[in-house]
Amino acid sequence: MFTIKDVASDAGVSTATVSRVLNKEENVSEVTCRKVNASITKLGYRLHSAASTLKSGKSRIIGVIVPELSNIFWMTLFEYIEDILQKAGYIMVLGSSGNSVAGEIRQLDSLQDRMVDGIIVIPCSQEGTHFKKILDKGLPLVFLDRWIPEIHADSVLVDNEGGTYDVIRALISDGFQKIGFVGGDMSHVIFRERFSGYKHALMDAGIPFNEKYTYLSGIVLETGYFGMKRLLEKKDHPDAFFYVNLMTSLGAAQYLIKEAPEIQKKIVCAGFDNVYFSSLLCCRYLVAQPEKEMGKLVAQMILDKVRHTDSCTEENRVIRLKTELIRC
């Protein structure tokens, strides 16, 4: 088995230079990088990650915690995140919290045991004591898609209120006045923002808010399914519906499939989130989040904090990206 000394000898450079190339440091010339990488390929040298971690104190691993692995929107985000991390020489380790704080704590403990250099989190709730403990230890952490305002960590979000406002106004422009709001966990700030966008759009159009047109009971498949069932059973039911996220949209579609074709044709809907199969959900409008920009931005943000750990003590940045209204 060849060592780093063998690579240095073959390339005609020092072991320190080989180390800088392996760590993708910027202060190495392109010519030297090519020479070292040619020797690595020639000798079949592989870096022993455990030994490297013990020596440098850096694992070059970024942990990612997500509430569930079944959400395609999040999986799309992670592809963009991993692309940036890989190019920077980092590995992404992905884990699910199972939509529980206890699960988040288990994942955080596991990632610390792996000596990860930083963590990206989509939090499952507004409870943040366990995240504060991580930040107090100096371990870089960034929130994605959702945030906890009381926890001073960088966050990459979208304009939830503005995106919802735009889609509700679009439905109103099409002549709809009785618009249902399906889904939403009001303990989460981002769903309160979407609900606020819904109510403000109605108010600005002079349409009274009617609580009986809402079903605020979660953000999972079952929410969409039973939300549509409950609202359509009402004698005076909405004539258009807004689904608060991808999972409620899928649940609503599952319910509507069981309805008679003549009823299906009467249903007009819109949804927050746009993935490759969203057009199959028969929504008239979709609020598209900039997944590529979100993923690349959060990856670069965690890398910046990992490389400059002193920045972890600076004032947290909350970046909100614009959504796009798509007519299907």
Side-chain angles (χ1 to χ4, degrees), residues 5-15 17-18 32 35-36 39:
K5 291 182 179 179
D6 297 319
V7 174
S9 176
D10 187 77
V13 298
S14 67
T15 55
T17 298
V18 175
T32 301
K35 286 171 59 179
V36 171
S39 294

Side-chain angles (χ1 to χ4, degrees), residues 17-73:
T17 298
V18 175
S19 179
R20 286 196 292 271
V21 172
L22 289 169
N23 290 318
K24 298 185 182 295
E25 296 181 15
E26 297 177 357
N27 57 340
V28 185
S29 72
E30 187 176 340
V31 173
T32 301
C33 282
R34 284 201 299 267
K35 286 171 59 179
V36 171
N37 284 322
S39 294
I40 289 172
T41 301
K42 173 184 172 184
L43 300 176
Y45 172 76
R46 295 193 65 179
L47 179 65
H48 194 293
S49 59
S52 177
T53 298
L54 290 172
K55 184 177 180 180
S56 66
K58 297 290 185 181
S59 65
R60 303 191 73 80
I61 298 174
I62 300 297
V64 180
I65 302 175
V66 58
E68 62 205 21
L69 298 176
S70 58
N71 192 317
I72 298 297
F73 170 70

Side-chain angles (χ1 to χ4, degrees), residues 75-86:
M75 293 301 106
T76 303
L77 283 177
F78 299 146
E79 287 185 0
Y80 294 119
I81 293 171
E82 188 173 41
D83 178 61
I84 295 296
L85 295 181
Q86 282 186 342

